[in-house]
Amino acid sequence: MNILSIPLRYMLRKWPKTLLLFGVFTLGAASVVALDHVSSRVAANMERQLAAFGANILVRPRTDTLRVGYGGVSLGAMQFGARHLDEAAVERAAATIADRANIATVAPKLLALAMVRGAGGSPVNVGLVGVRWDRERRIKSHWRVDGAYPDEAAGPAGPARPAKLADPDAPRGVVAGARAAAALGVAPGGVVRIAGQDLRVAGVLRPTGGDDDSVLLADLDFVQRAFGLEGKASFVEVAALCSGCPIDEIAAQLAAALPGAEVGALQGVVRQRMHSIGFVQKLLLGVSLVILLTACAMVGLSMLAAVNERVREIGLLRSLGFSRGAVFVIFCFEAACIGLAAGLAGYALGTLAGGEALGLIDVARGAAGEFDGVRLAATAGLMGLLATLAAFAPAWKAARTEPSRALTAL
Amino acid sequence: MLEVRNVSKAFAAEGTVTQALHRINLAVAGGDFVSVAGPSGSGKSTLLGVMSTLVAPDEGAVLYNGENVAAMGERGVDRLRRRDFGVVFQFHHLMPTMTALENVLLPFLHRLRPVGASLADRARECLERVGLAHKADCLPAHLSGGEQQRVAIARALVKRSRILFADEPTGSLDSATGDRIMELLCGLNAEGLAVVMVTHNEEYAALARTRLTMRDGMLADAGGTCCAACPA
Ligand SMILES: Nc1ncnc2c1ncn2[C@@H]1O[C@H](COP(=O)(O)OP(=O)(O)O)[C@@H](O)[C@H]1O
Ligand SMILES: [Mg+2]
């Protein structure tokens, strides 16, 4: 036994009161944790959805153009330099720059002109774009497809999976732009022949009004192999997100890491994105602060009531030679214990509740149950500290209690 | 051992000033047994408070072993209360959330260093001394008034106080229980503990070696010293 036994015995013997205070503080902690959980998830989700507006950095091979003309007659321009990027080099650059955490998606593409035979029989010249399906779809979430994407299980109207799929290297089929599909006379489930291989048309894009309408989209690996350009990309679209740092900086970092490439930033979109994410986070932070302040006020008031109620006990302690500091410690420790315990319970409760809430608003389903030891400790520590601070004024009042208060008969 | 010099104390409450103590002088020798009698409101509790450092006097000084208590500083006074002075109040004043044994140990619970087994043993001995060894684990609510008072006495004993201040220790007890408390106090006094006791009870007051009577904040007369009145 030591001085801490006094508040511990008190909390134990007055457990209904302790429990009530613990409950209030736990609820406060839980709401803040849940809000934080939801806020970070919603922000991440928004980032993902906003990324759908498209890439904001374009990486192209550096080309020097020489205007060719003679005697005032322009003969056009001649291009020098590499025509392709090294896919792995761009990946590496994106993964190593200082702001790498802000890079959401790296989507390499290889362009080629291919003779494609569709349902009509005679081959047609069509633009073929090799893509990494998972990444492409992340930045082109405005795409709507009849049929399915080659990388997903066959959709409702999708074709049967080809037996060849067992071979991991086999091309998984193509998606045709609306105009390209019309020109080739193919529909979802049809077959096109490219570079001597039959590929299933997994889906047809609804008209986008853009370049995508007139091309065929296929696996990047397939296009690279078919045209002998293994590991190459014509250009790479990068979706970067950052709060606080300008997109130009990320572009500059990429440019520095890729001497052979030209990196361009598309400004406006990102700024808008980060602004709306920041707004949501600020709002939730504000609500959290209000909740925490309320919880602290409740702890403070409750401690104040306890001090007034226990004034003769405090007087007794003082008359037994307990210093003011000792009395102060007794009350602060009581609050700290409740805060700490409430922090632990609140973290557990808040994480669960946050997961449930996310499920309800249909964002990031199944995101609950991510217990993080560091965050748990931080929450408990913070709540302990807050409760202790809230108890400072009442504890100070207790410490100033005159020992003569023990003498007065009630 | 303890000397009160020219002490005055006034309380101002609701506009009226009450002179609770008026130029009090008295001395308590080591091992003395002092009783303070007097009508209600005559300043007995205030005097006891001043003597035990719990009430600061407006004027005058309290000297313990020749040293002015007011000059000891807060830490010095805390140490005095912790070590040399024991107090027993009329209304028991135990910590209601702690057992009898824990209440006896209370004087040692003022710091982080845990109470050792030897002190716990000593606390048990003190409880035994007041005849409550079997109630060591009872909460105050489960003890009778007399038992609570005895726990409070054991609490003063455990730290080997030099002076015990008791404010109407029998005031709220029936006479049989009161007799037992007085027996206990007399026994402790016989072992060398100085006792200053406020009491209304003439019989109990007569047991003291030095008898004081208060009236309107003043000591009425020194009373007769009644030597060896405590039954041996
Ligand atoms: N804390 C206080 N505030 C105001 N008046 C007090 C206080 N303590 C005592 N008094 C007054 O001082 C006088 C003496 O009180 P007290 O010492 O308790 O007398 P006794 O113990 O002899 O009954 C009484 O009139 C009482 O009302
Ligand atoms: Mg009194």
Side-chain angles (χ1 to χ4, degrees):
Chain A
M1 285 183 47
N2 62 6
I3 187 171
L4 303 182
S5 311
I6 296 169
L8 285 175
R9 292 291 189 283
Y10 181 84
M11 285 188 282
L12 202 70
R13 301 258 150 76
K14 302 268 176 175
W15 61 266
K17 195 173 151 189
T18 309
L19 210 63
L20 186 73
L21 208 57
F22 166 79
V24 167
F25 222 53
T26 300
L27 278 183
S31 354
V32 170
V33 169
L35 277 179
D36 175 59
H37 189 68
V38 169
S39 141
S40 61
R41 279 321 169 96
V42 166
N45 191 263
M46 258 172 90
E47 283 181 11
R48 215 175 321 117
Q49 293 195 343
L50 286 166
F53 284 126
N56 43 39
I57 295 174
L58 198 61
V59 184
R60 286 174 300 184
R62 182 183 296 283
T63 51
D64 289 317
T65 316
L66 183 67
R67 198 174 286 285
V68 186
Y70 193 78
V73 179
S74 175
L75 299 175
M78 248 171 81
Q79 283 194 334
F80 294 98
R83 294 192 41 221
H84 293 105
L85 291 166
D86 186 22
E87 189 191 351
V90 178
E91 293 276 359
R92 209 162 36 241
T96 49
I97 60 167
D99 283 323
R100 57 187 172 275
N102 290 313
I103 295 203
T105 311
V106 177
K109 276 172 260 311
L110 182 61
L111 302 182
L113 205 58
M115 291 298 285
V116 180
R117 187 152 25 151
S122 57
V124 182
N125 239 338
V126 177
L128 184 63
V129 183
V131 297
R132 300 253 173 249
W133 283 113
D134 50 339
R135 296 161 180 215
E136 199 63 24
R137 287 173 56 194
R138 227 176 290 148
I139 59 169
K140 299 282 171 64
S141 61
H142 59 279
W143 277 357
R144 294 288 173 271
V145 70
D146 289 320
Y149 290 105
D151 63 327
E152 65 182 5
R161 293 163 137 252
K164 266 199 279 181
L165 251 182
D167 175 5
D169 285 341
R172 286 180 292 187
V174 298
V175 168
R179 292 217 315 249
L184 291 166
V186 292
V191 173
V192 290
R193 192 170 178 79
I194 305 169
Q197 276 200 62
D198 281 335
L199 281 99
R200 200 161 276 277
V201 178
V204 173
L205 285 183
R206 304 247 177 96
T208 62
D211 294 339
D212 300 325
D213 287 354
S214 45
V215 296
L216 278 182
L217 298 148
D219 257 350
L220 181 60
D221 287 327
F222 166 71
V223 180
Q224 285 172 341
R225 252 183 284 118
F227 293 86
L229 289 167
E230 274 85 353
K232 298 292 180 195
S234 306
F235 66 97
V236 180
E237 285 180 306
V238 178
L241 297 151
C242 64
S243 39
C245 76
I247 199 71
D248 309 88
E249 202 161 295
I250 298 181
Q253 288 171 12
L254 279 176
L258 293 165
E262 200 171 295
V263 182
L266 312 163
Q267 191 61 270
V269 194
V270 164
R271 216 163 251 171
Q272 217 175 339
R273 280 179 211 181
M274 294 323 299
H275 184 75
S276 39
I277 292 170
F279 174 74
V280 169
Q281 282 176 331
K282 268 189 206 125
L283 185 74
L284 292 181
L285 183 74
V287 173
S288 300
L289 279 179
V290 170
I291 293 175
L292 277 184
L293 274 179
T294 312
C296 282
M298 292 209 50
V299 167
L301 284 176
S302 158
M303 291 300 283
L304 192 63
V307 168
N308 288 336
E309 191 186 299
R310 289 157 76 184
V311 88
R312 292 202 306 156
E313 279 178 46
I314 300 164
L316 169 67
L317 292 178
R318 295 281 285 127
S319 71
L320 289 177
F322 280 60
S323 64
R324 288 174 197 275
V327 171
F328 190 77
V329 164
I330 287 172
F331 280 88
C332 284
F333 180 75
E334 200 176 309
C337 281
I338 290 173
L340 210 71
L344 292 175
Y347 181 79
L349 201 67
T351 311
L352 284 176
E356 286 299 312
L358 286 173
L360 280 181
I361 59 174
D362 221 31
V363 175
R365 214 179 262 283
E370 267 176 40
F371 282 88
D372 177 345
V374 177
R375 295 193 128 224
L376 175 70
T379 309
L382 187 74
M383 295 310 282
L385 190 71
L386 278 179
T388 311
L389 287 178
F392 258 37
W396 178 243
K397 185 176 185 224
R400 290 177 40 126
T401 300
E402 285 299 323
S404 59
R405 295 304 291 271
L407 281 173
T408 51
L410 204 115
Chain B
M1 185 182 198
L2 189 74
E3 212 183 325
V4 174
R5 275 193 198 158
N6 245 340
V7 160
S8 295
K9 177 75 184 178
F11 293 104
E14 288 155 19
T16 58
V17 177
T18 316
Q19 193 69 33
L21 296 179
H22 190 74
R23 295 184 168 278
I24 302 277
N25 281 289
L26 71 91
V28 180
D32 203 353
F33 193 137
V34 180
S35 74
V36 183
S40 183
S42 58
K44 307 182 296 293
S45 297
T46 308
L47 176 61
L48 205 71
V50 167
M51 291 169 86
S52 57
T53 76
L54 303 187
V55 174
D58 295 338
E59 273 173 54
V62 177
L63 285 78
Y64 181 65
N65 290 336
E67 196 183 346
N68 191 343
V69 167
M72 286 182 182
E74 202 165 322
R75 308 187 82 201
V77 172
D78 281 342
R79 197 175 313 123
L80 201 61
R81 290 174 188 158
R82 220 157 47 223
R83 295 191 183 158
D84 291 14
F85 288 3
V87 283
V88 176
F89 303 107
Q90 181 175 0
F91 296 102
H92 336 306
H93 291 196
L94 302 180
M95 295 294 275
T97 53
M98 303 177 87
T99 65
L101 185 67
E102 289 165 349
N103 264 288
V104 175
L105 278 170
L106 202 55
F108 306 117
L109 295 182
H110 63 95
R111 57 187 170 192
L112 275 172
R113 192 198 304 164
V115 171
S118 64
L119 283 181
D121 285 344
R122 204 205 284 179
R124 242 177 273 275
E125 273 165 34
C126 290
L127 269 183
E128 209 171 297
R129 180 75 217 277
V130 300
L132 285 175
H134 60 294
K135 301 249 168 144
D137 296 323
C138 290
L139 286 177
H142 298 131
L143 297 175
S144 71
E147 286 169 340
Q148 291 185 35
Q149 204 62 288
R150 276 141 71 193
V151 173
I153 293 171
R155 184 181 64 205
L157 291 183
V158 76
K159 54 181 179 174
R160 308 210 164 120
S161 308
R162 312 289 300 279
I163 306 187
L164 180 71
F165 298 95
D167 192 0
E168 306 196 32
T170 58
S172 57
L173 306 176
D174 63 79
S175 60
T177 320
D179 287 352
R180 287 197 59 187
I181 297 288
M182 285 313 298
E183 236 171 79
L184 185 59
L185 289 182
C186 282
L188 294 170
N189 177 244
E191 287 168 24
L193 175 72
V195 177
V196 180
M197 177 184 72
V198 168
T199 184
H200 273 310
N201 189 306
E202 277 296 318
E203 252 180 78
Y204 297 155
L207 292 174
R209 198 169 293 128
T210 309
R211 292 180 61 182
L212 303 174
T213 308
M214 286 201 71
R215 190 154 289 124
D216 299 330
M218 288 183 278
L219 287 174
D221 59 292
T225 48
C226 156
C227 300
C230 274

